Amino acid sequence: MKDYIYIEGEQVDDGFPIRTLFYGEGVFETFRYKKELPILFQKHLDRMEHGANRLTIPFPEPEHVSQLVTKAVTDSNIEDAYIKICLLSCGESSFPEFARNSQVLVIIKQYLYYDNPLRVITNNFKMISNSGLTGIKSMNYQNNILARRHALDVDYDEALFLNEREEIVECSASNIFWYANNALYTPSKQTGALCGTTRGMVIDLARRSGTKVLEGEFGVDHLDKADFVFITNSLNGCRAVSRINSRDYEVNHKLFISLKNEVLEKLNWL
């Protein structure tokens, strides 16, 4: 059944991404573009395509996406850029229907690097480890937004999610690591964590350097034993955590500094 869509009294065509607007049906990726596509760009595309397939949104040719990103960079004349790619879902407004087609939205702005240590607070509501959206970087992101806003309201910088089993999952826009008992720990995907591209790089680099890395299911009390904590994402690499709730952590541990610099070098950000 045809939808007739009007915005401010003006009719829009059938290509309007109504399913993204109504239901958050869509996927996205963010990354830093420093003079060239990031070395992990293919991993971003693979994760985006995986999410699109799960949500049954038609996925464009990867080369088309890379061309759109390159055009946006060229047109904006920004050499060091924040990039966000969104795959928008177009189709009927009835929620059980499938997307008919998709559109690629590229957002670009000047990149700003943040390196100051973060203060993190545990969020009050839970992530569900076996949610239908587990493992998808979905545009249905309201829980993350609400968690970050709450953290900022109480003078913290970032929110930490636990799942329904009270296991550490991730932060509102990053993965989390901590070092304790001569090993590096991070939540496994079984907790509901999204396995970020930079997370994978950190695990690989740490293991190559001889550091023991353990992925698993850990309660928040496990952080009491940590020497240092840091978060990872594709915009900042590794970023130290100075406090979680009322517990303070070292931010200049030599292993963290070494890992952080290795990631920056691997990403060609130095």
Side-chain angles (χ1 to χ4, degrees), residues 206-253:
R207 285 176 173 161
R208 287 186 185 183
S209 69
T211 301
K212 184 178 182 181
V213 181
L214 299 173
E215 300 176 71
E217 296 78 59
F218 310 104
V220 72
D221 60 330
H222 206 273
L223 294 170
D224 294 338
K225 309 168 188 175
D227 299 318
F228 65 90
V229 182
F230 63 98
I231 64 170
T232 62
N233 62 33
S234 56
L235 289 171
N236 289 103
C238 302
R239 198 166 171 189
V241 170
S242 61
R243 167 171 283 206
I244 297 181
N245 299 325
S246 60
R247 166 80 152 82
D248 293 324
Y249 299 93
E250 182 180 352
V251 297
N252 292 309
H253 192 284

Side-chain angles (χ1 to χ4, degrees), residues 46 88 125 130 162:
D46 289 345
L88 308 180
F125 45 86
N130 62 350
L162 307 180

Side-chain angles (χ1 to χ4, degrees), residues 82-114:
Y82 163 105
I83 302 283
K84 184 170 187 174
I85 311 171
C86 304
L87 186 70
L88 308 180
S89 179
C90 309
E92 294 185 22
S93 61
S94 177
F95 76 84
E97 298 296 330
F98 296 97
R100 284 199 303 265
N101 53 21
S102 62
Q103 297 176 355
V104 177
L105 169 70
V106 179
I107 300 171
I108 180 169
K109 58 187 175 182
Q110 184 64 46
Y111 175 78
L112 298 174
Y113 179 67
Y114 295 99

Side-chain angles (χ1 to χ4, degrees), residues 99-199:
R100 284 199 303 265
N101 53 21
S102 62
Q103 297 176 355
V104 177
L105 169 70
V106 179
I107 300 171
I108 180 169
K109 58 187 175 182
Q110 184 64 46
Y111 175 78
L112 298 174
Y113 179 67
Y114 295 99
D115 194 35
N116 57 299
L118 295 166
R119 293 160 51 87
V120 178
I121 189 168
T122 303
N123 189 49
N124 289 329
F125 45 86
K126 310 300 182 189
M127 279 195 171
I128 305 302
S129 61
N130 62 350
S131 162
L133 295 178
T134 299
I136 300 175
K137 199 159 186 177
S138 162
M139 293 184 68
N140 190 338
Y141 221 58
Q142 200 62 52
N143 276 349
N144 304 63
I145 292 170
L146 292 174
R148 176 72 69 84
R149 286 175 180 169
H150 173 260
L152 295 173
D153 283 346
V154 294
D155 200 29
Y156 281 75
D157 307 296
E158 177 60 291
L160 177 66
F161 280 102
L162 307 180
N163 65 18
E164 76 281 8
R165 298 187 296 270
E166 299 293 325
E167 297 164 345
I168 302 166
V169 182
E170 62 191 12
C171 293
S172 70
S174 54
N175 291 117
I176 186 167
F177 288 82
W178 62 96
Y179 187 78
N181 302 318
N182 298 312
L184 192 62
Y185 293 81
T186 194
S188 67
K189 66 180 182 180
Q190 282 73 29
T191 65
L194 183 74
C195 295
T197 57
T198 309
R199 173 188 180 274

